[in-house]
Amino acid sequence: MAEQGQRLIFFWGRECPHCAKIHPLVGEVSKEMGKEITELEVWHSEENQKLMRSYGDVLKQACGGSLGVPAFYNERTKKALCGMRTTKEQIVTWASE
């Protein structure tokens, strides 16, 4: 498991159709790069929601002004990705920085 503060995090919602479409890409990138991407469900977990809110400023900027899923946060670089149009290539670049 990745050390706290160094994780690549994928925030998602269980009933989110956009998250369901991106979820397979997360697994592919993780496997191909040999890097763990921590998957945190936020619609049904108060603890995960709290963590997501703690990165709110960066995530909101990536998400166009509001906090939403699917969203990605790199604890090491403090960079985020957001949205249903996130591509595999963008996830690879974000995870590689």
Side-chain angles (χ1 to χ4, degrees), residues 45-81:
S45 169
E46 211 170 297
E47 183 180 336
N48 292 346
Q49 289 170 20
K50 185 177 176 185
L51 180 65
M52 186 178 186
R53 282 192 299 273
S54 75
Y55 300 134
D57 290 345
V58 176
L59 288 168
K60 284 178 186 175
Q61 189 173 9
C63 294
S66 61
L67 210 50
V69 291
F72 297 84
Y73 186 76
N74 183 326
E75 289 182 329
R76 189 177 51 76
T77 64
K78 310 215 180 334
K79 292 187 179 176
L81 289 175

Side-chain angles (χ1 to χ4, degrees), residues 2-62:
E3 186 179 318
Q4 185 105 13
Q6 297 294 310
R7 296 178 298 178
L8 299 169
I9 302 172
F10 171 52
F11 293 106
W12 63 284
R14 193 179 323 161
E15 294 87 5
C16 167
H18 308 300
C19 299
K21 287 180 182 173
I22 287 182
H23 225 134
L25 297 179
V26 174
E28 285 177 31
V29 170
S30 181
K31 186 176 180 181
E32 289 172 13
M33 295 184 72
K35 290 186 176 187
E36 179 185 359
I37 298 176
T38 303
E39 299 179 15
L40 300 178
E41 201 287 334
V42 296
W43 287 6
H44 300 279
S45 169
E46 211 170 297
E47 183 180 336
N48 292 346
Q49 289 170 20
K50 185 177 176 185
L51 180 65
M52 186 178 186
R53 282 192 299 273
S54 75
Y55 300 134
D57 290 345
V58 176
L59 288 168
K60 284 178 186 175
Q61 189 173 9

